[in-house]
Structure formats: C-alpha cells, structure tokens
C-alpha cells in the first residue's frame, strides 16, 4: 500500500528540491563536535501536487518558493546546537510539511568531515502529510 502511494505521488506531484546546500552547523554529540560548527550538506525535496504548483501567470506566488526552504533551514540552524542529525531532520521535516501546498518531504543531512575514511555520515527522512496521493 505504501509503495503504491509513493508511486502515485511521483506521478502526480512536482518535485521541488534544494540540492547540496552546505551550511556550518553547531551539531554533534561528541565533545570534539561541540567545540565548533561543522559542515552539513542538506538535500531537500518537496512534493507538491501539480494543481498547486503549475503557474498560469508565470508568477512566484503560484508555486512553492525555494527561499521558503532555505529560510526554514536557516531558522533551525540559528536556533542553537543540536546533538543528533535525526533531531535536525525531524525538526526540519515537521516545519516544511506544514506548508499548505506540500504533500510530502524527503530530507537528508550529511556530515562530510566526521571520519577520514568515508565521504560522510548522514540521515534521511521521508514523510507524507497524509495517506492520500497527490491529485
């Protein structure tokens, strides 16, 4: 059932994304992470039904503005230290999905500088507003 809803959403929604958005964030549970901010890479996708995201007058107010996504991230990052990427992702998804046009959010964070032997460590979350597919 869940897979069918996701497939339907992919077919009936526009995907608005912010890719590889890099910000210095005060994040981490370990002492060495608490000493200073570290780079976090954000990848965010908003799924918006076509009927709520297809402009007729070629005007910004007819779509979900990318600035909205950047402002949500900036607000949370500026709110202070967070221990876990899971918490950061959940906080962001909870705010992003409140936008009236957004049906679902897929969001990941990646800390690229934690371990020298890998490209990064991260978390990804996918949340739908309700079980109804975009129509």
């Amino acid at each position: 059932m869940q897979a069918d809803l996701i497939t339907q959403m992919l077919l009936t929604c526009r995907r608005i994304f912010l890719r590889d958005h890099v910000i210095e964030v005060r994040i981490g549970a370990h002492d060495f992470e608490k000493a200073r901010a570290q780079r976090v890479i954000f990848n965010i996708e908003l799924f918006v039904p076509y009927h709520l995201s297809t402009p007729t007058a070629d005007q910004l107010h007819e779509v979900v503005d990318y600035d909205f996504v950047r402002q949500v991230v900036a607000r949370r990052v500026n709110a202070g230290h967070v221990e876990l990427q899971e918490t950061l992702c959940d906080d962001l998804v909870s705010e992003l999905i409140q936008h009236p046009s957004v049906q679902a959010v897929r969001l990941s964070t990646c800390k690229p500088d934690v371990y020298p032997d890998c490209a990064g460590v991260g978390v990804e979350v996918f949340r739908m507003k309700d079980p109804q597919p975009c129509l």
Side-chain angles (χ1 to χ4, degrees):
M1 178 72 171
Q2 183 80 6
D4 291 341
L5 289 173
I6 292 171
T7 299
Q8 185 65 27
M9 188 175 306
L10 291 172
L11 295 173
T12 60
C13 287
R14 188 178 308 276
R15 197 170 51 109
I16 297 163
F17 60 88
L18 187 65
R19 189 173 292 149
D20 296 335
H21 183 48
V22 181
I23 301 178
E24 294 285 322
V25 179
R26 307 242 354 134
I27 188 169
H30 301 290
D31 288 339
F32 72 90
E33 294 179 299
K34 293 179 181 181
R36 62 179 178 78
Q38 56 186 302
R39 288 188 314 146
V40 175
I41 303 168
F42 294 85
N43 283 287
I44 302 168
E45 299 176 356
L46 305 180
F47 294 82
V48 181
Y50 282 121
H51 73 275
L52 297 175
S53 63
T54 301
T56 58
D58 194 30
Q59 297 295 310
L60 187 57
H61 72 273
E62 298 178 284
V63 297
V64 176
D65 188 349
Y66 309 115
D67 286 343
F68 160 71
V69 180
R70 291 172 49 90
Q71 290 165 359
V72 168
V73 173
R75 243 190 329 271
R76 177 57 189 97
V77 167
N78 292 330
H81 185 88
V82 62
E83 297 268 321
L84 304 173
Q85 288 188 76
E86 290 84 353
T87 303
L88 179 59
C89 287
D90 289 348
D91 289 352
L92 292 170
V93 167
S94 292
E95 187 168 348
L96 290 165
I97 203 143
Q98 289 180 36
H99 188 288
S101 296
V102 173
Q103 180 69 29
V105 177
R106 180 179 174 187
L107 183 145
S108 69
T109 58
C110 175
K111 299 191 308 186
D113 304 319
V114 175
Y115 299 118
D117 59 350
C118 63
V121 295
V123 172
E124 181 173 89
V125 180
F126 180 84
R127 188 177 306 159
M128 293 187 291
K129 189 173 273 179
D130 60 49
Q132 299 301 315
C134 298
L135 297 175

